[in-house]
Amino acid sequence: MTNLLFQPLELPNGTVLKNRFVKPAMSEVMGDAQFRPTEALNHLYQRWAAGGSGLLITGNVMVDATALGEKGNVVIEDDRDLPRLRNWAAAGSRNGAQTWVQLNHPGRQSPKHLSAQPVAPSAVPLTGDNAFAFNPPRALTVAEIHAIVQRFATAAAVVQAAGFGGVEIHAAHGYLLSQFLSPLANVRTDQYGGALANRMRVIEEVYHAIRAKVGPAFPIGLKINSADFRDGGFSEADSLQVIHRMADLGVDLIEVSGGNYENTMVQGSNRGGAFFIDYAAKAKRGLTTPILLTGGFRSLDGMTRAVANGETDLVGLARASALIPDLPHRAAIGQFDAIDLTRLSTGIRALDRRVGSYIGLSYYEMQMARLAQGKAVRVTRNAWIPLGYALRTQGPSFLTPRRA
Ligand SMILES: Cc1cc2nc3c(=O)[nH]c(=O)nc-3n(C[C@H](O)[C@H](O)[C@H](O)COP(=O)(O)O)c2cc1C
């Protein structure tokens, strides 16, 4: 049965992924001070490509240097960094792997130390425990929305010129495009707000603008939340409609995820299996566009069953890939069964509650940095190790929430 995971998948446009293992986007925070990709990224992607995944999706690459999600983001505004991007693409194309670049704009989820006043669909501030870290946004004008749409298209054209295999539009996790989808974050009364057809308009425009630049053969993926899990927010029914509409338009791959800074479902818990599997199964009904399900996969058996049962076509392994970069290869030779993704602990419960999500991020960032340096990962349950790492590499600003 495991063999299923090693079967190639042909996307509707003819692109073939060599197997069903995907390393989804994990922000590597390895861009330099000019937001350029670095050698570290080349090493990391070379390592992941050698590890056997069919598809690697980069951590979010921003389309506007004045709208960052975090320090260390790579930004693509034009082709000035093409030589460096070529090296990154080449590293991620070894061993039959493909690397796609995830394109993102954070909208209101650009933290205070990076944005005095972020932009968003509407001037609606974040709520919840992480809200303190973000300045209230101002609403985008229609002209600014059009300019952002063009930024996505420009970045995608550069990605293609650099030799990457595709792009993924990030419309999940509460970033700008996901904010447009949410009736709570988007209270516009123009053509970009109100009915779902209006709230998703910007995503359609981003897709069309990219497609016009890259042509029919270049894969365009979409990462979308199954729901935001907030009353009155982006619902599962909305999400299913968006998926079907985008599939009709010609999106090549749909990645299913969930949550945002107001409701951090993204990293889920260690108790159940894949977090959004029921939704993925629903999404697959009547859809020929392949689905990539990300979040919570831990056992080979769980992954195999999800594909065998037709609940997903591809399995996304983010944290697992940071801990076991050659997981597909190990699975192929019978040396991988399951991974334990238990959360780390400082030993102080109140502190764990307060800094739990930063610990998680720092832990995986630390592993990616180690992989890039050619070192082995450092598996531990002791949260003080990644906390120390974050303090050394980022100073106290690491305590600013950066992503869900
Ligand atoms: C350190 C870290 C960085 C992440 N960065 C991104 C990102 O840039 N874009 C994105 O769509 N998801 C990002 N995610 C979320 C993952 O893609 C994935 O949805 C999540 O970790 C759940 O999958 P898993 O259970 O396999 O880890 C990140 C996750 C981690 C742990």
Side-chain angles (χ1 to χ4, degrees):
M1 271 257 284
T2 304
N3 289 344
L4 260 185
L5 297 171
F6 293 95
Q7 274 174 16
L9 179 75
E10 185 173 341
L11 304 182
N13 73 0
T15 301
V16 177
L17 303 177
K18 71 172 179 177
N19 61 36
R20 308 305 179 93
F21 292 97
V22 179
K23 190 289 292 175
M26 266 184 294
S27 194
E28 309 87 4
V29 289
M30 291 178 187
D32 69 11
Q34 286 83 47
F35 319 116
R36 299 177 302 184
T38 55
E39 275 286 310
L41 284 167
N42 304 342
H43 295 309
L44 179 59
Y45 278 76
Q46 216 166 303
R47 196 128 176 215
W48 269 325
S53 293
L55 176 60
L56 310 174
I57 302 176
T58 69
N60 58 177
V61 164
M62 297 300 170
V63 298
D64 183 345
T66 67
L68 299 176
E70 56 211 323
K71 243 171 80 184
N73 282 151
V74 170
V75 177
I76 303 179
E77 291 187 318
D78 51 39
D79 62 3
R80 82 187 91 163
D81 298 324
L82 202 49
R84 284 171 181 253
L85 289 164
R86 283 204 174 105
N87 292 338
W88 188 7
S93 308
R94 294 190 174 194
N95 193 28
Q98 290 212 15
T99 294
W100 296 9
V101 173
Q102 184 184 64
L103 297 176
N104 192 22
H105 185 300
R108 66 180 182 172
Q109 286 186 168
S110 180
K112 269 181 185 165
H113 66 276
L114 296 173
S115 287
Q117 189 178 40
V119 293
S122 303
V124 178
L126 273 152
T127 57
D129 289 349
N130 292 326
F132 73 92
F134 301 88
N135 285 317
R138 70 169 176 81
L140 286 160
T141 64
V142 169
E144 286 174 321
I145 295 174
H146 292 164
I148 289 174
V149 168
Q150 285 314 311
R151 281 179 178 277
F152 274 92
T154 302
V158 174
V159 165
Q160 185 182 34
F164 286 98
V167 288
E168 182 184 63
I169 301 166
H170 194 356
H173 302 171
Y175 293 104
L176 183 70
L177 300 180
S178 162
Q179 288 157 35
F180 269 97
L181 290 174
S182 161
L184 299 175
N186 177 358
V187 295
R188 298 180 74 96
T189 52
D190 62 7
Q191 68 270 38
Y192 291 102
L196 180 61
N198 286 347
R199 283 183 276 125
M200 70 171 294
R201 186 181 307 280
V202 68
I203 299 177
E204 289 185 31
E205 289 178 355
V206 165
Y207 170 74
H208 286 307
I210 293 178
R211 185 60 84 202
K213 294 263 191 195
V214 300
F218 194 67
I220 304 176
L222 176 75
K223 186 164 185 171
I224 184 149
N225 280 357
S226 58
D228 289 344
F229 306 102
R230 291 192 60 208
D231 287 344
F234 182 62
S235 66
E236 189 176 292
D238 281 356
S239 176
L240 288 169
Q241 280 193 51
V242 175
I243 286 185
H244 280 268
R245 171 77 182 143
M246 296 307 291
D248 287 346
L249 292 182
V251 159
D252 299 288
L253 178 67
I254 291 167
E255 180 178 0
V256 167
S257 188
N260 54 42
Y261 279 102
E262 294 176 322
N263 185 337
T264 54
M265 281 289 290
V266 183
Q267 291 185 49
S269 76
N270 199 40
R271 285 192 298 277
F275 310 145
F276 311 111
I277 194 157
D278 295 340
Y279 169 83
K282 275 187 219 163
K284 268 198 71 61
R285 263 175 236 145
L287 200 76
T288 47
T289 307
I291 293 281
L292 158 60
L293 175 61
T294 294
F297 278 117
R298 296 188 310 280
S299 74
L300 197 59
D301 185 48
M303 297 169 208
T304 309
R305 271 187 289 117
V307 175
N309 294 343
E311 288 155 328
T312 187
D313 300 287
L314 296 157
V315 293
L317 309 167
R319 290 166 299 163
S321 302
L323 295 177
I324 310 180
D326 59 347
L327 192 155
H329 174 65
R330 287 200 204 178
I333 57 174
Q335 289 181 2
F336 172 79
D337 188 22
I339 184 167
D340 181 0
L341 293 173
T342 309
R343 288 194 171 204
L344 281 66
S345 172
T346 57
I348 306 165
R349 198 173 295 174
L351 189 61
D352 286 351
R353 265 203 303 276
R354 185 78 192 86
V355 299
S357 60
Y358 322 125
I359 296 170
L361 286 173
S362 302
Y363 182 56
Y364 295 102
E365 283 170 9
M366 178 181 92
Q367 310 299 1
M368 289 190 278
R370 292 180 69 86
L371 292 173
Q373 290 160 12
K375 294 180 183 165
V377 298
R378 182 167 183 194
V379 176
T380 177
R381 293 275 173 78
N382 179 354
W384 293 104
I385 292 172
L387 282 176
Y389 167 82
L391 203 58
R392 276 198 310 283
T393 52
Q394 294 163 44
S397 80
F398 86 89
L399 281 174
T400 306
R402 281 161 297 145
R403 59 183 55 257

